[in-house]
Amino acid sequence: MGHTSIHYLFFNKITSMVQFCKLVIFISSALSSYGRLNPNKFPDDFLFGIASASYQIEGAWNLSGKGENIWDRYTHTHPELILNRTNGDIACNSYHRYEEDVALIKKLGVQFYRFSLSWTRILPIGFSSKINPDGIRYYNNLINLLMKNDIIPIITIFHWDTPQHLEELGGFTNALMANWFEDYARVVFENFGDRVKVWITFNEPKEICLKGYGGDEKAPGYNLSGTADYICAHNLMKAHARAYHLYDKQFRSKQNGQISIVMDTFWMEPATNLTWDKKAAERRLAFIFGWYAHPVYSSNGDYPDVMKKYVARRSKREGFKRSRLPNFTKEEVNYIKGTYDFLGLNHYSTVLTKNVLFEPIFGKPSVEKDSMTVTEYDPSWPNSKASWLKVVPWGFTKLLVWLKNAYGNVPIYITENGFADDGEIDDKDRINYHKLYLSALLDAMHKYKVNVKAYTIWSFMDDFEWRDGYMTRFGLYHVDFNDPGRNRTPKASAEYYRKVIAARKIDGID
Ligand code: BGC
C-alpha cells in the first residue's frame, strides 16, 4: 500500500510537472504568436493601402445614366434576403462625396487606394455599344483627384456587380461573357489607362462563382452547386485571360502598367495530425483556391489534378456522361497560364479541415461533396462580428509560405485583410487584429522570405456588407447610415494605421 502511494505521489508529481511544462509552453507560444510582435520594418518600397468596391459605397444606383446591375436587382426583388431589408441604393453616397473621401484617404497616409468600377455606370447595359459619359467623368474626377494627392489608384475592373442585362443572357454561365468583359476592359484601358498603372480584372472568383452561382448567398443566386459554379469559373478565367492579353498586346507598351487577378482563401489547417486530414487540407486548398490559381500561376496551368480526378470520379458515379468540371483545351491552358504580373490575395481567416471518409450520398451535386472535405473552427479562436472570421494570424504566415512553395517567388499584393465588428469608434479589436496579422506578414517576409510587396486594409469605411447589410462593419472610418449626409468619423484604427504607415513597423506602435 505504502509502496503504491510512493508510486502514486511520484507519478502525480511527474504528471503535474508535465502539466506545468505544457502550461509554460502554451503561454510562451501564445506570447510569441500574440504578445511579441515582429520587430522588423517593412521595406522602403513596400506599399500600404485601403480598399472599397463600387456597389458597397457609391450609391446613386440609378442616377446620371447608370444601368441596373445584379445587386440592384437582387436587393430590390428579394429585400428579405438582406439583413434589415437594406440595399446599396445610397450606401455611403460616395458618388456625391468622393472629394471628401479622397481627403479622408489622404489623412491615413496610404500610398494607394484600391477601388472598383461599376460596369453599368460606364456601360449601362453591359455592352460597349453605349458608353455613359457621366460614368467616365465620375471615375476621371476620382482618379485625377487621387493623383493630385499622390495616392496611386489601383482599379478592380469587376467587383461582383454584373450588368443585369448580361445576367439575363446567362451572366458567367454564358461563354460569350469573355467577349463582353474584354470589350468593357478595352473601354476602361482606353479611358483611364494613361493614369492607372495597376489593374485587377476580377475580385474573388470564388465568391462570384461558388456563392453567386453555386449558392444563393450572393447575387445572382443560382444555387446550382457542382455545375453552375464550375461553368462560371471556367468562363471567368477565360474572361480574365482575354483582358490580360488585350492589355499586354495593345496597351502595355504605351501605358506601362501591371494587370492581374485577385483571389481569396482561408488558410486550411488540418484538423488533426492524421495523414488523411493533412491530405484533405491540401485538397481543400486545391478546390477552393487552386481552382482559379492553378490555371494562372502553376507551371503546368489548368485545374489542379486532384480536383479534376475527384470531380470526374464522382460525376461518373452520379451517372454523368462527362465530368461536371469542364475541360480546358491545350490552347486554352496555354492562353490562361501566366496571365499575371503579381498575385493578388484577399485573406481574412483560417479553418480546420477534415477528411470525409465515406463518399457523401448522391443527390444534388456540390463542390464540397466533390472535395470530400469539411471544415470547422477551433472554439478557442477569438471571434469577430462575422461568424466566418476568426482571429488566427499564424494561418496568414502559413498560407503565404504555402503560396511561395506552390507558385514560386511571384510578387504578392495583399489586396484585402480586415476585421468585422459592430462599428465601434474605439475599435480596439480591429487594431489588435491588424497588429497580429501585420506581424504574421512580417514573419512570412523575414523568416520565410515570401515576396510580399503591398498590404491593403478592407475597408476604407463602413459600407454595404452584401447580405449583412449595414450591420457588420469593416471600416477604418465609421459611417452614420441614419444620417442623410452619411457623416464619416475616423475610428481609433484609422489613427493606428496612420502611425504604422508612418513608422513602417508595428512594434512599439499603439
Ligand atoms: C470582399 C468584400 C467584402 C469583404 C468582407 C471580401 O470577400 O471582397 O467585398 O466586403 O470580403 O466580407
Side-chain angles (χ1 to χ4, degrees):
M1 184 71 189
H3 207 79
T4 323
S5 72
I6 287 172
H7 256 99
Y8 175 78
L9 277 177
F10 179 73
F11 279 110
N12 206 14
K13 203 166 180 183
I14 293 274
T15 322
S16 42
M17 268 173 69
V18 168
Q19 273 168 351
F20 176 72
C21 289
K22 274 190 182 161
L23 189 69
V24 170
I25 292 169
F26 172 76
I27 292 174
S28 55
S29 71
L31 262 181
S32 68
S33 53
Y34 292 118
R36 224 174 291 135
L37 298 171
N38 189 306
N40 286 293
K41 278 191 128 181
F42 288 93
D44 288 344
D45 61 349
F46 189 89
L47 301 176
F48 290 96
I50 40 158
S52 72
S54 50
Y55 186 76
Q56 294 180 272
I57 65 161
E58 284 179 5
W61 79 278
N62 59 355
L63 298 184
S64 307
K66 177 182 162 291
E68 189 188 18
N69 66 43
I70 56 170
W71 275 93
D72 297 320
R73 180 64 66 94
Y74 187 81
T75 54
H76 293 156
T77 52
H78 288 288
E80 74 284 358
L81 295 178
I82 315 290
L83 213 61
N84 293 341
R85 304 174 77 88
T86 47
N87 55 47
D89 287 4
I90 303 173
C92 308
N93 201 9
S94 211
Y95 185 71
H96 293 111
R97 308 198 59 167
Y98 73 92
E99 288 171 313
E100 180 191 348
D101 287 344
V102 174
L104 297 178
I105 295 169
K106 175 83 180 164
K107 281 198 181 143
L108 295 171
V110 290
Q111 282 93 42
F112 67 87
Y113 175 41
R114 173 184 173 228
F115 61 96
S116 82
L117 305 175
S118 159
W119 189 335
T120 56
R121 199 176 290 293
I122 296 172
L123 307 177
I125 57 161
F127 293 115
S128 62
S129 50
K130 183 174 171 243
I131 299 178
N132 174 27
D134 278 347
I136 301 286
R137 196 171 308 132
Y138 171 65
Y139 292 116
N140 267 333
N141 289 343
L142 176 59
I143 293 165
N144 291 342
L145 195 56
L146 287 168
M147 305 220 10
K148 208 169 130 194
N149 282 280
D150 290 323
I151 302 163
I152 301 166
I154 295 191
I155 289 192
T156 311
I157 302 174
F158 180 90
H159 196 125
W160 305 359
D161 41 3
T162 312
Q164 181 58 31
H165 190 96
L166 300 187
E167 192 56 60
E168 275 153 29
L169 300 172
F172 284 94
T173 63
N174 189 332
L176 292 176
M177 193 61 162
N179 289 354
W180 307 330
F181 185 72
E182 183 186 336
D183 296 344
Y184 165 44
R186 181 188 295 279
V187 172
V188 158
F189 300 147
E190 277 169 351
N191 281 280
F192 312 124
D194 55 335
R195 288 148 293 153
V196 175
K197 302 302 164 200
V198 185
W199 294 103
I200 290 158
T201 53
F202 288 99
N203 179 68
E204 301 186 349
K206 166 160 86 70
E207 302 302 307
I208 300 165
C209 297
L210 198 65
K211 306 275 176 66
Y213 288 82
D216 57 3
E217 298 123 83
K218 300 256 152 72
Y222 276 43
N223 208 10
L224 291 172
S225 189
T227 48
D229 34 21
Y230 289 138
I231 297 168
C232 166
H234 204 68
N235 293 329
L236 187 151
M237 294 317 296
K238 290 190 208 171
H240 156 75
R242 290 277 287 274
Y244 177 92
H245 287 297
L246 170 71
Y247 188 77
D248 203 41
K249 298 215 165 56
Q250 298 185 31
F251 293 89
R252 198 195 288 279
S253 60
K254 285 171 275 165
Q255 300 186 345
N256 287 314
Q258 306 176 6
I259 179 165
S260 273
I261 182 167
V262 159
M263 301 173 183
D264 65 307
T265 187
F266 291 106
W267 167 246
M268 312 289 172
E269 179 73 5
T272 70
N273 265 334
L274 297 171
T275 311
W276 64 40
D277 283 339
K278 289 186 184 162
K279 284 194 171 162
E282 276 288 329
R283 194 163 66 246
R284 188 148 184 127
L285 264 176
F287 265 83
I288 295 297
F289 185 72
W291 181 5
Y292 318 97
H294 231 66
V296 174
Y297 294 99
S298 75
S299 47
N300 295 330
D302 207 349
Y303 298 123
D305 284 343
V306 67
M307 185 177 186
K308 290 198 284 189
K309 185 170 132 197
Y310 272 62
V311 186
R313 194 175 60 193
R314 192 167 163 85
S315 303
K316 196 166 171 200
R317 291 187 186 152
E318 288 166 331
F320 285 86
K321 286 283 165 280
R322 49 180 65 85
S323 177
R324 284 179 280 98
L325 180 69
N327 264 335
F328 285 127
T329 63
K330 253 206 179 103
E331 292 70 42
E332 287 168 343
V333 167
N334 289 329
Y335 187 74
I336 298 171
K337 195 171 65 181
T339 51
Y340 67 88
D341 295 320
F342 56 87
L343 189 153
L345 176 72
N346 289 356
H347 175 76
Y348 289 83
S349 195
T350 286
V351 286
L352 296 176
T353 309
K354 271 183 157 165
N355 183 48
V356 170
L357 263 184
F358 302 105
E359 179 107 49
I361 43 165
F362 297 118
K364 210 177 164 221
S366 91
V367 174
E368 180 155 78
K369 286 186 202 163
D370 286 339
S371 78
M372 303 270 293
T373 63
V374 285
T375 59
E376 59 186 26
Y377 297 103
D378 181 331
S380 73
W381 291 342
N383 286 314
S384 74
K385 169 84 193 269
S387 55
W388 52 270
L389 203 168
K390 314 286 177 196
V391 186
V392 196
W394 51 261
F396 192 21
T397 315
K398 284 195 175 189
L399 174 63
L400 289 166
V401 174
W402 180 88
L403 280 173
K404 182 183 172 190
N405 294 334
Y407 300 126
N409 213 21
V410 41
I412 298 175
Y413 297 3
I414 306 301
T415 36
E416 281 180 34
N417 176 237
F419 180 81
D421 65 9
D422 288 310
E424 296 86 344
I425 300 285
D426 188 11
D427 53 346
K428 291 195 181 65
D429 291 342
R430 175 167 294 103
I431 293 179
N432 189 48
Y433 174 93
H434 285 291
K435 216 177 249 182
L436 299 176
Y437 272 73
L438 282 164
S439 183
L441 172 59
L442 281 170
D443 286 349
M445 292 169 68
H446 285 270
K447 287 193 201 146
Y448 304 101
K449 308 285 170 239
V450 184
N451 188 14
V452 184
K453 296 284 187 201
Y455 176 81
T456 317
I457 288 189
W458 182 273
S459 165
F460 160 38
M461 60 183 155
D462 295 339
D463 60 14
F464 180 74
E465 184 48 39
W466 310 109
R467 291 280 296 267
D468 285 344
Y470 296 101
M471 296 307 285
T472 303
R473 310 285 188 107
F474 279 87
L476 295 184
Y477 284 91
H478 176 272
V479 178
D480 181 357
F481 292 102
N482 294 318
D483 164 32
R486 299 295 191 270
N487 187 41
R488 286 104 158 101
T489 311
K491 299 181 188 174
S493 56
E495 176 59 8
Y496 171 72
Y497 197 34
R498 191 196 62 72
K499 287 195 274 189
V500 168
I501 296 170
R504 308 193 75 74
K505 61 178 185 148
I506 41 162
D507 195 27
I509 309 290
D510 286 309

